[in-house]
Amino acid sequence: MGSFNSASKIACNWGDYYGALVGAGDLNNDRDGDIVAVSRSGGFGSGCLYQWLGNGSGGFGSTTQIGCGWAPYQHGLTGIGDLNGDGNADLVSIHNDCLYRWYGNGGFGSTSTSSCGGWNDYDAHIAGMGDLDRDGIGDLLGYTYVGGDWCLYRWSGNGSGGLKGAVRLGCGGWGDYGLAR
């Protein structure tokens, strides 16, 4: 059974990103995990997306601002792995009952809507989990309250940037576990 060693402090003063810091996968194809976050402060940089590239030694390089206007997407933002098969990690988020996607390209370009309708139930309750079904494409997990219980769902990536239909993985108290993004 896997476990973890003791915690190591990497850096301080991350409060501006509380609740919005997510593992994004490997954004620059160097085989090191990277992270992104949307700034929550009311000052300069509020709603801007920042990235920290993994340094291969258990830490991260310096902060790079990727772009602004991300405030509407900060609560459900998650890395999802590679949705379109180009080798770059991608991001998704829910806003106004729609699932949005950004393809990774060393940064993140313009947003595109993947699908609308029915996503508000999963707002802030989604997590990209890499490739759960072992088909080489990133997948998404989410949970919502259905028929008196919390149920967990999976959407498999379809290889062309979208997701296949939801598959219920099980019900029984999933609301007690926040999905780590």
Side-chain angles (χ1 to χ4, degrees), residues 10 28 39 59 61 75 78 83 113 118-119 125 148 170:
I10 297 173
N28 60 347
S39 174
H75 298 295
T78 188
L83 278 176
T113 306
W119 289 101
H125 300 291

Side-chain angles (χ1 to χ4, degrees), residues 6-20:
S6 59
S8 298
K9 182 171 30 173
I10 297 173
C12 297
N13 299 319
W14 288 69
D16 195 35
Y17 309 105
Y18 178 77

Side-chain angles (χ1 to χ4, degrees), residues 115-174:
S115 64
C116 289
W119 289 101
N120 276 348
D121 291 341
Y122 302 95
D123 189 25
H125 300 291
I126 61 170
M129 298 303 296
D131 182 11
L132 288 174
D133 58 8
R134 296 183 180 181
D135 65 356
I137 306 298
D139 303 320
L140 184 67
L141 286 179
Y143 67 87
T144 191
Y145 198 71
V146 176
D149 205 351
W150 289 96
C151 300
L152 182 68
Y153 292 85
R154 179 193 75 229
W155 295 265
S156 295
N158 65 14
S160 59
L163 298 171
K164 298 175 184 175
V167 173
R168 185 185 292 187
L169 299 179
C171 296
W174 285 98

Side-chain angles (χ1 to χ4, degrees), residues 20-97:
L21 185 69
V22 298
D26 182 6
L27 298 176
N28 60 347
N29 289 316
D30 65 357
R31 301 177 71 180
D32 296 322
D34 307 316
I35 55 178
V36 298
V38 177
S39 174
R40 298 172 4 131
S41 72
F44 178 76
S46 177
C48 295
L49 182 70
Y50 294 87
Q51 76 178 7
W52 295 264
L53 300 177
N55 64 15
S57 302
F60 297 94
S62 60
T63 306
T64 303
Q65 184 185 82
I66 295 177
C68 295
W70 289 76
Y73 310 105
Q74 72 183 2
H75 298 295
L77 187 67
T78 188
I80 192 167
D82 182 10
L83 278 176
N84 61 345
D86 67 356
N88 296 309
D90 305 316
L91 297 175
V92 296
S93 184
I94 296 170
H95 177 62
N96 287 339
D97 207 24

